[in-house]
Amino acid sequence: MNELRKNEVYEGRVEDYSHDGMGIIKIDQKPVFIGDVLKDEVISFKVIQVKSKFAFGKLLSVKEASKNRQTPPCEYYYQCGGCQIQVMNKEEQANFKRSTVERNINGLAGLNLEIKETITGQDSYYRNKSQIPVQKIDGNLVMGFYRPRSHDIVDIDHCYIQKDSHNDIMNFVKGKLIEENTSIYDEVKHEGLLRHLVIRSNHDDSEIQVVFITNGKRNEFLSITKALKEKYPNIKSVIQNINDEKTNVIFGKRSIVLLGQEYITDTLLGKEFKIRDRSFYQVNHEQTEKLYQIALDLADLSADETIIDTYSGIGTIGLVASKKVKKIIGIEVVDTAVEDAKENARLNGIENADYYLGKAEAVMPKLVKTGVSADLVFVDPPRKGCHREFLDSLIEVEPKKIVYISCNPGTLQRDMKYLSEHGYKAKSVVPVDLFPQTKHIEAVTMLERV
Ligand SMILES: C[S@@+](CC[C@H](N)C(=O)[O-])C[C@H]1O[C@@H](n2cnc3c(N)ncnc32)[C@H](O)[C@@H]1O
């Protein structure tokens, strides 16, 4: 038998992918996870870590390459932790995402559903939000993204997945920060000013927001703000967000407008949305429109229906559905997002929408007590999925349909399994690639009460 040992070199054929896009080769029944390899490739690798149930390996050479292997298009790919699967071409990325959904839904949850082909789209320069950490190392300003599993920044001047307008602004701000000798935050000493630069834009870059996230409220950004406005007339909003906590959370609770408006405006499926710095907004405009359209098609709404839009963010899904339904009830935990959702309803002349601030698992049971009824519920939780109390109250509401949008197949399968044990059945799940070049996977499904 082939005992697995650290630092030993092995050869094998990649059998499958892990949920985070690593290849799996089994040696002595033990799965070894290896990055930057494709399914069916024969590779040689060195074992770098052995745990009781699994191990990690490092790719040494590819003996038989997959036809779907590509040279990573980004020059920083092997240092930067932002993307994980640039060695796969578009087709293989779609295969990996579909197979991960399949393994979760049909393997782990045992639901035996049809898993549709992954819906793909533009796979470069798509991200409309960039959150760029800033540090000073040996007196030099560095801006970029973290190395995998670390807080060291890879200093970059170009990111392949953020919009090119963001690359431009990032480099411009960097030059100005150096020129102005702006105080930079030191996370070990918890002192210094600038922590992150955030850039967000609408679909055609006609409105861009720049956010300086700072430790404390000292404003050292007057001249940079002025220079930004002169160079980029489409920057409609410059914000200083204050975060003086010792934390990995990027945004603090207070924002001050340095220039222009508090928000930028974007259009999704013909509706307009105001987006403020702290509110959630999907990062890939083209794919979000496809995702929402699939959700709407699955919902197949009619004019006399009431819908509940849970985890509603700034109201996007419910509001794109609004003209088709009698009433919308939204639930969302971030206060500014709820304010945005109300404002967005007004902006689109929609009078049939009400929003509740609070955790879905707290608000939904309260709504149940008031005897609320709904024909359909949209569910779009964060990665950790739904709280059991929320699912229980959702089941109590007894909607005919639940349209579930998920950014984590692991929690989607758990929640779908629970719903299927309580009378809700789906037929299929559609993976939508909202995050090309990365391991992240979005999926949408519709469950019907049987
Ligand atoms: C994946 S986003 C979806 C937002 C929106 N549906 C969209 O498509 O833009 C999840 C949203 O749930 C909110 N959220 C997180 N935990 C929550 C909870 N326990 N209850 C209600 N909302 C929550 C987040 O603030 C975020 O706006």
Side-chain angles (χ1 to χ4, degrees):
M1 201 172 273
N2 206 353
E3 176 79 18
L4 196 64
R5 283 208 196 87
K6 190 172 166 181
N7 291 329
E8 290 279 302
V9 173
Y10 296 85
E11 206 175 290
R13 189 177 289 276
V14 180
E15 294 172 26
D16 208 345
Y17 291 120
S18 68
H19 68 278
D20 50 6
M22 293 179 112
I24 303 174
I25 292 180
K26 286 212 185 97
I27 304 279
D28 188 21
Q29 306 298 323
K30 198 178 255 193
V32 186
F33 298 105
I34 307 140
D36 299 322
V37 299
L38 276 68
K39 199 170 164 201
D40 292 331
E41 286 186 332
V42 176
I43 60 155
S44 110
F45 64 97
K46 184 169 158 179
V47 172
I48 52 172
Q49 196 181 23
V50 182
K51 303 260 191 192
S52 63
K53 295 217 165 74
F54 57 89
F56 290 101
K58 186 176 175 356
L59 173 67
L60 294 179
S61 65
V62 180
K63 306 276 178 194
E64 268 178 47
S66 160
K67 68 174 185 358
N68 288 338
R69 174 172 281 276
Q70 68 173 12
T71 304
C74 174
E75 62 188 291
Y76 303 105
Y77 173 70
Y78 288 111
Q79 297 121 57
C80 176
C83 295
Q84 298 79 29
I85 56 170
Q86 285 199 7
V87 292
M88 300 179 198
N89 68 8
K90 193 169 180 169
E91 188 183 332
E92 190 64 10
Q93 294 191 18
N95 292 340
F96 152 65
K97 295 193 182 195
R98 181 176 180 273
S99 72
T100 303
V101 173
E102 165 104 50
R103 197 171 45 251
N104 276 282
I105 302 299
N106 294 339
L108 286 174
L111 293 175
N112 208 10
L113 308 181
E114 180 192 1
I115 310 299
K116 304 267 190 191
E117 293 296 325
T118 306
I119 311 282
T120 59
Q122 181 189 326
D123 59 1
S124 58
Y125 307 111
Y126 62 84
R127 275 195 74 98
N128 61 21
K129 185 186 189 189
S130 309
Q131 305 191 124
I132 306 159
V134 189
Q135 284 176 6
K136 224 170 202 175
I137 299 174
D138 300 331
N140 295 321
L141 188 89
V142 296
M143 276 170 82
F145 298 101
Y146 294 120
R147 286 177 200 281
R149 295 171 298 282
S150 120
H151 260 223
D152 297 341
I153 296 175
V154 185
D155 196 22
I156 65 166
D157 59 11
H158 178 260
C159 166
Y160 183 71
I161 62 169
Q162 76 183 4
K163 291 215 247 166
D164 227 10
S165 54
H166 295 206
N167 283 325
D168 230 43
I169 293 170
M170 174 180 81
N171 290 327
F172 182 76
V173 170
K174 186 177 183 181
K176 288 285 166 197
L177 292 171
I178 295 170
E179 220 174 280
E180 302 272 318
N181 199 17
T182 308
S183 166
I184 304 298
Y185 180 64
D186 178 328
E187 65 179 21
V188 178
K189 295 187 185 142
H190 189 49
E191 58 187 39
L193 189 64
L194 181 63
R195 303 172 72 128
H196 277 82
L197 172 73
V198 177
I199 306 166
R200 200 179 226 178
S201 52
N202 68 353
H203 71 284
D204 61 0
D205 280 350
S206 58
E207 299 198 12
I208 298 181
Q209 179 175 68
V210 173
V211 187
F212 297 103
I213 301 188
T214 58
N215 172 41
K217 61 179 190 318
R218 204 166 72 247
N219 179 357
E220 292 191 14
F221 307 99
L222 283 175
S223 113
I224 300 182
T225 301
K226 190 164 167 276
L228 274 171
K229 186 65 197 161
E230 274 162 19
K231 185 157 167 69
Y232 305 97
N234 46 350
I235 294 184
K236 304 290 182 199
S237 165
V238 180
I239 304 281
Q240 181 172 4
N241 172 271
I242 295 146
N243 182 359
D244 40 27
E245 305 283 312
K246 211 169 186 319
T247 170
N248 285 340
V249 176
I250 296 178
F251 276 88
K253 292 199 166 59
R254 242 184 94 204
S255 292
I256 301 164
V257 179
L258 300 183
L259 180 104
Q261 306 149 345
E262 228 185 315
Y263 53 82
I264 54 168
T265 310
D266 201 8
T267 320
L268 271 174
L269 296 180
K271 295 276 171 8
E272 275 191 76
F273 294 96
K274 284 185 180 175
I275 312 152
R276 276 190 284 175
D277 57 344
R278 282 170 51 216
S279 301
F280 177 91
Y281 187 66
Q282 293 286 11
V283 297
N284 183 333
H285 187 270
E286 176 198 8
Q287 294 299 91
T288 300
E289 288 200 324
K290 291 183 196 165
L291 175 76
Y292 286 1
Q293 191 56 59
I294 296 169
L296 290 182
D297 292 346
L298 288 169
D300 191 22
L301 296 160
S302 65
D304 57 348
E305 291 185 327
T306 295
I307 63 169
I308 307 181
D309 179 10
T310 62
Y311 307 90
S312 53
I314 59 168
T316 43
I317 298 172
L319 293 175
V320 294
S322 61
K323 280 282 181 268
K324 301 198 176 88
V325 296
K326 190 170 80 185
K327 184 164 179 56
I328 301 165
I329 299 165
I331 307 174
E332 163 62 45
V333 76
V334 173
D335 54 357
T336 54
V338 170
E339 288 166 23
D340 286 350
K342 289 179 180 167
E343 172 65 19
N344 287 329
R346 270 194 297 276
L347 187 67
N348 290 289
I350 291 161
E351 285 158 7
N352 54 353
D354 280 341
Y355 290 93
Y356 292 86
L357 173 64
K359 291 188 170 165
E361 57 272 26
V363 175
M364 196 74 166
K366 281 189 198 144
L367 290 178
V368 169
K369 281 203 187 109
T370 66
V372 76
S373 72
D375 302 282
L376 179 135
V377 179
F378 285 110
V379 180
D380 186 10
R383 287 183 55 73
K384 64 177 188 275
C386 301
H387 205 280
R388 187 56 67 82
E389 264 173 85
F390 167 76
L391 291 177
D392 286 334
S393 51
L394 172 61
I395 292 160
E396 251 186 274
V397 172
E398 291 190 337
K400 286 196 292 281
K401 290 178 182 176
I402 298 167
V403 174
Y404 194 137
I405 297 175
S406 161
C407 54
N408 182 352
T411 51
L412 176 67
Q413 67 82 14
R414 180 198 68 199
D415 293 346
M416 282 181 77
K417 186 161 189 267
Y418 190 71
L419 289 169
S420 79
E421 287 159 2
H422 292 82
Y424 282 90
K425 298 273 179 268
K427 288 199 178 85
S428 62
V429 180
V430 190
V432 182
D433 198 2
L434 244 63
F435 316 102
Q437 318 295 353
T438 81
K439 62 184 177 183
H440 298 290
I441 302 168
E442 192 85 11
V444 53
T445 186
M446 192 269 287
L447 299 106
E448 234 168 333
R449 194 150 61 88
V450 287

